[in-house]
Amino acid sequence: MRIDVFSIFPEYLAALDLSLIGKARQDGILDVRVQDLRAFTTDRHRTVDDTPYGGGAGMVMKPEPWAEALSTALSGGTAEGESGAGERPTLIVPSPAGEVFAQATAYELAEKQQLVFACGRYEGIDERVLEWAGENFDVRPMSLGDYVLNGGEVAVLAMVEAIGRLVPGVVGNPESLVEESHSDGLLEYPVYTKPSLWRDRPIPEVLLSGNHAKIARFRRDEQLRRTAERRPDLIAKLNPSTLDKADRAALEALGWTVTAEAVLPR
Ligand code: ADE
């Protein structure tokens, strides 16, 4: 997968050299190209922003450097050929005004040949850049959640990690991707390691039983309990057809009613 990132703070993205994503870059699985947006300015001061039409606080990113920068992401080639054998690259614009980035989004984007990230700063990027880019990119303004960051860089680090780890070969043991939070609409069960007794705290006894069915049931119940407590919005989204008899009993005990159509709070 090819990943282009444009930012006025390319140093922020140095973290992409580390850990599993860094290793995947070295191994040639992820072709990550970070570029300084100011390299695409033409004036002496390397200006990337200007005052907003209509007035208001703050500055807006000028369209010209963005057009120059994004154009370079449309060429340069990949292992599959010129910018990915014909598929339109996806242009992700981090913004608190975007659609919310979730695990399902990460799975969807992990299938793409090329992702391009445009890190805005200040009050954002001139809207015409997104319209213009729509001619060549699938444009996706994306938010990490309902809070405001100073720019897109931190959001890009989070998204590249969430997406990159789903690309085959990036995570050594793909089984570790199966039983994690959000993979089945629930939060992950709690985990424990040695010693089995630590500061007067034993681990749950069932984990020492060797009874795999019982352990699986315990873990599933813990997932349901945690999710009901911390993220009731996720319980309400569960599809009843994915719940077995024991799941239903656990949910009833947690104060939920499971009907044929929905899971509802009592
Ligand atoms: N840029 C500023 N705030 C953001 C957020 N919440 N998500 C993504 N990008 C952002």
Side-chain angles (χ1 to χ4, degrees):
M1 172 189 279
R2 175 174 164 186
I3 299 176
D4 293 81
V5 184
F6 297 95
S7 163
I8 58 167
F9 295 120
E11 300 88 350
Y12 244 113
L13 287 309
L16 297 178
D17 288 335
L18 304 174
S19 189
L20 286 179
I21 300 296
K23 170 91 174 21
R25 293 175 76 176
Q26 276 176 13
D27 294 347
I29 302 171
L30 298 179
D31 174 10
V32 182
R33 309 176 187 191
V34 178
Q35 295 193 72
D36 186 346
L37 180 70
R38 289 194 201 275
F40 300 95
T41 56
T42 49
D43 64 312
R44 203 156 53 89
H45 301 290
R46 310 217 300 162
T47 311
V48 292
D49 62 334
D50 209 333
T51 52
Y53 276 117
M59 300 290 271
V60 175
M61 293 192 107
K62 291 164 63 62
E64 302 93 330
W66 277 114
E68 293 299 322
L70 295 176
S71 297
T72 69
L74 290 172
S75 59
T78 64
E80 296 93 38
E82 267 307 284
S83 84
E87 186 186 286
R88 276 157 67 92
T90 300
L91 174 63
I92 299 167
V93 186
S95 160
E99 65 178 291
V100 174
F101 179 84
Q103 189 64 18
T105 330
Y107 277 113
E108 180 201 338
L109 296 174
E111 304 280 330
K112 305 285 183 191
Q113 290 174 351
Q114 186 186 7
L115 302 177
V116 181
F117 291 89
C119 298
R121 282 262 149 185
Y122 318 113
E123 298 307 308
I125 302 172
D126 187 309
E127 189 65 22
R128 293 168 296 178
V129 174
L130 280 66
E131 293 166 18
W132 165 84
E135 292 171 16
N136 292 300
F137 297 87
D138 285 337
V139 181
R140 305 275 293 267
M142 289 258 167
S143 173
L144 286 194
D146 294 340
Y147 48 85
V148 180
L149 303 167
N150 283 335
E153 287 78 6
V154 167
V156 169
L157 290 175
M159 289 189 272
V160 169
E161 184 156 315
I163 297 163
R165 64 196 291 282
L166 300 177
V167 172
V170 174
V171 169
N173 178 4
E175 282 214 0
S176 61
L177 302 177
V178 177
E179 289 195 356
E180 61 186 10
S181 287
H182 302 296
S183 58
D184 57 1
L186 294 172
L187 304 184
E188 197 175 26
Y189 52 77
V191 294
Y192 305 88
T193 187
K194 293 172 231 16
S196 61
L197 182 67
W198 177 74
R199 299 197 177 190
D200 295 332
R201 292 163 191 277
I203 62 165
E205 216 176 293
V206 61
L207 299 179
L208 295 168
S209 69
N211 182 329
H212 296 297
K214 260 190 159 167
I215 292 173
R217 189 65 250 165
F218 167 78
R219 287 178 164 168
R220 178 83 176 167
D221 285 345
E222 284 294 290
Q223 282 191 281
L224 291 165
R225 184 190 57 74
R226 252 191 183 183
T227 311
E229 186 179 312
R230 300 177 186 175
R231 294 292 304 278
D233 58 307
L234 296 181
I235 297 283
K237 279 192 219 156
L238 289 173
N239 178 349
S241 72
T242 65
L243 302 171
D244 67 16
K245 226 173 132 191
D247 292 337
R248 285 158 197 261
L251 285 169
E252 295 283 344
L254 290 163
W256 293 79
T257 300
V258 184
T259 72
E261 290 86 32
V263 184
L264 305 162
R266 236 195 346 266

